[in-house]
Amino acid sequence: MGAEFGNPSSSHSGGAAARGYLRAARSDVARLLGCAPESLSFTSGATEANNTVIAGGTLVRGDRLRIVSSAVEHSSILRALEWAGSQGAEVVLLPVNRHGVIDLSALRDVVAGAPSLVSIQWVNSETGVMQPISEIGRLCADRAVPFHTDAAQAVGKLPLRLGEEPIDYASVSAHKFHGPQGVGVLYMRPGRRVRPLLHGGAQEAGRRAGTENVPGVAGMGVAAALRADGLSEAICALAALRDRFEAAVRASIRDVTVNGGGSPRVCNTSNLLLHGVDGQALVARLDQAGIQCSQTSACVSHRPEPSYVLTSMGLDETAAYSSVRFSFSTANTAHEVDHAVNVLAATVAQLRAQGRRLAPNRIMAEVP
Ligand SMILES: Cc1ncc(COP(=O)(O)O)c(C=O)c1O
């Protein structure tokens, strides 16, 4: 972009140049999402988009708010719902089954009560488990209930046609498809409204005040175009890496379960329950060996608490503490996967042997 500091809202040529970057990015992101460019507003990421819909999308309906969501949503939905609850909204969190999927008949029952909003994630960040989003959207559309999905983990990993789905709002983060961190979009079906979260200028068709993050948006556009051009190749490559990883893990490590393995999952995530292993110690040791994985969502992983996603699926605390999430990128290779499994198998064997010698409270104390 060079030294271009034009404000996209300015009428001079510098502003026009900045607007050009926004226009190109809006069209490239729309191509990846399968929707009209005008239905997208740039945000600082999925957190802001989620908060905008929970705090602003629902307020336009007036009356006492009733918001339906699920127990396994990202913290940016759950904390926003807590806030909405503190403002008088009634919040209903649907449980998930042991495979991580919500019960459609339970959803049908609550949707019959005409809630103000239903917000259900497309893909879970910890397990990769997909919710039946089209069916959920149809259930909501049949009752004219606005439906929002947190699509942060779906974009770039599934072929999406948002414009053809019964979805009113969707949240997206650029860094999930190799764009820059700190930028994303809120998709809004034509005709839907939100009350802006930020008060100020009329940027983004009045849906999001404040000068757009032009360099971030431009980077997101390039990443979206690259992913849209190579989407099926990316999905095949990621699925091949993930399947190779899980097959090798099963062949070389005993007592291992893939959390959510009985459900439809996106192509890049593998959440392993390694019985008898302290997950935090495993994450630390693998990191030292150059293999980066996580115990829970990156946004809460500084907290040594068991994953609420996994306990919501019925795992007890010990099993949740013994679970670790691996995510694969298009930049990974089969060789790296094989190396990761070798190191993982050796580390798991060491930790299990050590666990047999130590009392459980000493095992949990081995935290970096
Ligand atoms: C499902 C989901 N929703 C929302 C977010 C928040 O995205 P951001 O931190 O980019 O706002 C994330 C990020 O990890 C996520 O995985």
Side-chain angles (χ1 to χ4, degrees):
M1 291 177 65
E4 295 171 24
F5 301 108
N7 183 330
S9 299
S10 299
S11 55
H12 53 56
S13 53
R19 273 197 301 286
Y21 286 112
L22 298 188
R23 196 178 313 112
R26 210 181 302 274
S27 134
D28 286 329
V29 176
R31 189 154 63 88
L32 181 62
L33 301 183
C35 64
E38 311 74 63
S39 49
L40 301 179
S41 312
F42 298 123
T43 66
S44 61
T47 296
E48 183 188 323
N50 285 342
N51 274 265
T52 302
V53 177
I54 299 294
T58 53
L59 290 179
V60 295
R61 278 173 69 98
D63 304 337
R64 181 161 190 234
L65 296 178
R66 188 150 186 266
I67 307 174
V68 178
S69 190
S70 86
V72 295
E73 299 296 316
H74 187 262
S75 54
S76 55
I77 289 286
L78 294 177
R79 296 292 88 75
L81 288 172
E82 270 173 26
W83 172 83
S86 75
Q87 303 299 301
E90 183 189 343
V91 175
V92 178
L93 291 185
L94 295 173
V96 293
N97 64 18
R98 68 190 176 88
H99 303 295
V101 181
I102 64 161
D103 178 0
L104 282 184
S105 62
L107 178 70
R108 193 174 291 112
D109 289 346
V110 282
V111 167
S116 324
L117 177 78
V118 170
S119 176
I120 303 287
Q121 67 189 191
W122 202 315
V123 171
N124 186 270
S125 53
E126 293 188 33
T127 59
V129 169
M130 292 159 53
Q131 300 296 338
I133 285 303
S134 301
E135 284 95 318
I136 296 171
R138 271 194 296 278
L139 275 179
C140 294
D142 287 349
R143 297 278 179 162
V145 170
F147 173 50
H148 165 253
T149 184
D150 177 351
Q153 295 286 344
V155 178
K157 293 159 201 156
L158 294 172
L160 300 180
R161 306 286 327 152
L162 279 191
E164 293 162 24
E165 294 279 356
I167 293 172
D168 297 299
Y169 306 98
S171 304
V172 176
S173 261
H175 66 109
K176 306 297 182 191
F177 51 92
H178 291 185
Q181 300 90 335
V183 62
V185 296
L186 170 60
Y187 162 82
M188 231 183 287
R189 193 181 182 76
R192 288 289 174 203
R193 293 185 302 148
V194 280
R195 181 180 294 178
L197 201 58
L198 304 176
H199 304 287
Q203 287 92 348
E204 298 302 294
R207 295 182 293 217
R208 201 272 190 175
T211 301
E212 291 89 347
N213 168 4
V214 180
V217 166
M220 172 167 65
V222 172
L226 288 171
R227 186 52 68 96
D229 289 342
L231 185 63
S232 35
E233 293 83 351
I235 292 173
C236 286
L238 289 169
L241 292 173
R242 199 267 315 270
D243 293 349
R244 182 184 183 102
F245 174 79
E246 290 185 355
V249 162
R250 284 197 173 97
S252 56
I253 304 176
R254 65 178 166 78
D255 291 338
V256 57
T257 310
V258 177
N259 292 318
S263 299
R265 288 180 293 154
V266 276
C267 49
N268 76 318
T269 308
S270 182
N271 192 310
L272 302 181
L273 163 51
L274 297 145
H275 294 274
V277 172
D278 171 12
Q280 264 196 300
L282 179 62
V283 168
R285 289 205 188 176
L286 292 182
D287 192 33
Q288 281 162 9
I291 297 160
Q292 296 172 13
C293 56
S294 306
Q295 217 191 1
T296 176
S297 156
C299 309
V300 292
S301 54
H302 57 281
R303 280 194 287 147
E305 281 178 15
S307 154
Y308 63 86
V309 171
L310 297 179
T311 54
S312 297
M313 290 165 65
L315 271 70
D316 62 23
E317 287 205 354
T318 308
Y321 276 125
S322 296
S323 296
V324 171
R325 169 174 60 105
F326 295 84
S327 306
F328 301 92
S329 148
T330 47
N332 287 130
T333 63
H335 175 73
E336 285 172 329
V337 166
D338 296 345
H339 174 66
V341 175
N342 288 339
V343 176
L344 175 66
T347 313
V348 164
Q350 282 165 11
L351 288 171
R352 281 179 173 160
Q354 198 178 324
R356 279 192 292 274
R357 291 195 302 271
L358 297 175
N361 58 343
R362 297 261 320 275
I363 302 170
M364 297 312 296
E366 194 200 328
V367 169

